[in-house]
Amino acid sequence: MNQTNNKKKMEFPHTLIIILIMIVFAAILTYLVQAGQYDRIEVAGRKVVDPSSYHTVPANRATPFDIFVAIPAGMQAVAGIANMVLIIGGSFAVIEATGATKAVLAKVLKMGGHLGAALLPIVIVAFSLLPAFTGSAESMLAFVPLGILFARTLGFDAMVGLSITIAAGNAGFASGLFNTMTTGVAQTLLGIELFSGLWYRAIGYGLLLCSVSFWTVWYALKLRKNPARSCCYNVELAAKEEMTEASEIDSEMTPRRILVLIEFIAGIAFVIYGTLNGWDFGPKLGGVFLIMAVVCGLTGGFNGNQICNEFVEGAKKVLVGALVVGFAKAISLVMDQACISDTIVYAFSNLLSGMPKVVGALFMYIFQIIMNCFIISGSGQAAATIPIMGPLGDVLGLTPQTVVTAFIFGDGLTNLLLPMSAATMGAVAIAGISYGQYVRYIWRIIVTNLCLGGVMVVIATMIGL
């Protein structure tokens, strides 16, 4: 009895509890931090901060009631993303129910399954490309169910599935190769050529991919020796009861399944096309996934009721993820309504002035990491901080390109950890794991990537990028 009680006491808090604690902390900050604002001016059609315009404003402290009001307000603000989490979960459930994806995975295993963990770096590179070129980290949620299925079919767990999709996608996003939302906005605000310095970001991209690949393969090999070492072993035991063993998967490629795969590939290609052409993570992409669900379901031989039942079951599995996205948005809403976000930016920018170049660049990098906890939007963080960091970089003797480097790595890398990140928490929900289990796995990748980001900032400073 005592052992059972101790286990219950040691149980990791639910993700929604963690986020609620952060909302309360943000509310407490409204009593400790002076309210203030920067004036916004329009530059090249975009509203940005005027670095010299910071001024205090009357306090608008959050009440206990405001804490709870911020949650539905947050859900309303990110309804598009939350809806997409539900639609993706439901659509993939319909597609998987046809047996087409499992059949093709069984074929892949028969042809190259003996390679095992050696396949993972190839898949990681492939999944990293979309965020690297589109700047849409949330788009990776579309591939999470497939990545988890692929990993489990190889004999690994859901963590490996998240690693080859979300962690890989984060490497592509954080490198800022052609990321219009981070690199593009920052370089435009600093008045330097769009996507200049590509060669240096490509080096960072390669290093981040090496980090993700190394730790993913390292973990996968551990599982190969002892599956009980899985960070989400309880989840895998439950999944095994539902999932047929790889050797028993029906690999027959019937005409129906071939058509389903063609339709599925065409749908994913259209998602990529839409993302590359500026579609946001909203109704248009959601419409594509719904079309995929209906068309693939009918092709797979399902009637209307069967399609709906499979869709609802899939949506149920990711419902927590939809809630998490809304809860997380409440954190920034509390801070914005109290006008303390700009004050935090102002305080950190003052702290950095007068430092040596390398030290100043590293602190600038750390500053962006910290600010990403408060301003989760990449373009929003660029608009709020770059107009301040740019002049500060001039004072410290840093080139604008180095300022951009500190920003893109500082903004992007911690998205893989933050419970405010829609991509991260949506993926955790789709995988059916707890946030604590996820952190237990992902911390090695995050720490390594943050160190690599710091090295890239230091080298950029030393070579005068």
Side-chain angles (χ1 to χ4, degrees):
M1 288 291 292
N2 289 336
Q3 288 181 343
T4 303
N5 290 334
N6 287 335
K7 285 183 179 178
K8 288 184 177 179
K9 289 179 182 178
M10 294 299 292
E11 185 179 359
F12 196 87
H14 193 283
T15 302
L16 295 182
I17 294 177
I18 295 173
I19 296 177
L20 182 59
I21 291 171
M22 296 183 71
I23 298 171
V24 172
F25 177 69
I28 293 172
L29 285 181
T30 66
Y31 290 86
L32 303 177
V33 178
Q34 169 67 54
Q37 283 183 329
Y38 287 102
D39 292 333
R40 264 63 176 177
I41 58 177
E42 191 166 313
V43 176
R46 189 183 299 272
K47 284 190 175 182
V48 299
V49 168
D50 178 358
S52 61
S53 67
Y54 177 80
H55 57 280
T56 59
V57 297
N60 183 27
R61 299 182 178 92
T63 66
F65 184 59
D66 291 333
I67 294 173
F68 293 95
V69 169
I71 294 173
M75 295 178 70
Q76 184 177 357
V78 296
I81 295 176
N83 290 340
M84 279 294 293
V85 170
L86 294 174
I87 289 171
I88 288 171
S91 298
F92 266 94
V94 174
I95 295 166
E96 283 185 30
T98 66
T101 53
K102 290 183 180 179
V104 76
L105 285 174
K107 291 287 187 183
V108 170
L109 286 178
K110 287 180 180 179
M111 292 185 293
H114 62 282
L115 295 175
L119 279 175
L120 299 178
I122 300 172
V123 179
I124 286 169
V125 172
F127 276 125
S128 72
L129 292 175
L130 181 62
F133 282 87
T134 66
S136 176
E138 289 86 359
S139 63
M140 293 309 299
L141 288 174
F143 301 95
V144 169
L146 187 61
I148 292 173
L149 179 61
F150 180 79
R152 283 175 173 162
T153 307
L154 283 173
F156 306 127
D157 65 4
M159 292 300 180
V160 173
L162 291 183
S163 204
I164 64 178
T165 52
I166 293 299
N170 178 260
F173 177 89
S175 65
L177 282 181
F178 294 98
N179 192 331
T180 57
M181 304 305 291
T182 56
T183 306
V185 173
Q187 290 184 328
T188 299
L189 294 176
L190 291 175
I192 56 180
E193 184 181 350
L194 189 62
F195 298 130
S196 56
L198 176 63
W199 67 272
Y200 195 72
R201 294 195 301 280
I203 293 174
Y205 173 57
L207 291 174
L208 294 179
L209 286 180
C210 287
S211 168
V212 175
S213 297
F214 173 82
W215 287 116
T216 305
V217 171
W218 174 82
Y219 177 77
L221 293 176
K222 276 178 54 179
L223 293 185
R224 183 71 79 196
K225 293 179 181 178
N226 183 7
R229 300 182 73 178
S230 168
C231 291
C232 54
Y233 190 55
N234 63 321
V235 176
E236 296 309 308
L237 288 178
K240 266 191 176 181
E241 297 178 3
E242 302 175 6
M243 181 180 177
T244 309
E245 294 293 336
S247 59
E248 299 175 358
I249 292 176
D250 181 7
S251 61
E252 183 184 359
M253 295 303 294
T254 64
R256 281 185 182 275
R257 287 178 174 176
I258 292 172
L259 281 175
V260 168
L261 287 173
I262 292 172
E263 292 160 358
F264 172 68
I265 293 170
I268 293 299
F270 203 72
V271 168
I272 295 172
Y273 168 81
T275 307
L276 290 171
N277 283 273
W279 290 8
D280 60 8
F281 203 64
K284 289 184 178 179
L285 290 182
V288 173
F289 281 105
L290 287 175
I291 292 171
M292 287 169 60
V294 173
V295 173
C296 291
L298 292 174
T299 302
F302 295 163
N303 60 35
N305 282 348
Q306 288 174 310
I307 292 174
C308 290
N309 288 334
E310 293 293 345
F311 185 90
V312 169
E313 287 302 312
K316 283 181 182 177
K317 293 179 181 178
V318 298
L319 178 60
V320 173
L323 292 172
V324 163
V325 171
F327 270 60
K329 180 63 178 177
I331 300 170
S332 60
L333 286 182
V334 168
M335 296 180 63
D336 290 342
Q337 289 169 2
C339 299
I340 64 173
S341 297
D342 282 2
T343 300
I344 295 171
V345 172
Y346 177 73
F348 275 104
S349 64
N350 286 341
L351 181 66
L352 295 179
S353 60
M355 290 184 174
K357 285 174 63 174
V358 172
V359 176
L362 277 176
F363 268 89
M364 191 176 287
Y365 172 58
I366 295 170
F367 165 78
Q368 295 291 5
I369 290 173
I370 295 171
M371 285 311 304
N372 196 42
C373 299
F374 302 101
I375 309 174
I376 196 65
S377 164
S379 57
Q381 187 173 336
T385 63
I386 289 299
I388 301 164
M389 293 297 105
L392 181 60
D394 293 336
V395 173
L396 295 174
L398 303 174
T399 66
Q401 208 70 263
T402 299
V403 174
V404 172
T405 301
F407 164 70
I408 60 173
F409 286 116
D411 164 74
L413 293 175
T414 49
N415 289 341
L416 200 55
L417 175 67
L418 297 178
M420 298 86 79
S421 168
T424 294
M425 299 314 296
V428 167
I430 290 171
I433 62 176
S434 72
Y435 181 66
Q437 290 172 324
Y438 172 76
V439 171
R440 182 183 164 196
Y441 168 75
I442 208 70
W443 72 267
R444 294 179 180 86
I445 294 176
I446 293 173
V447 170
T448 304
N449 287 358
L450 287 173
C451 290
L452 289 174
V455 169
M456 293 296 292
V457 170
V458 169
I459 293 175
T461 305
M462 295 177 68
I463 66 176
L465 179 65

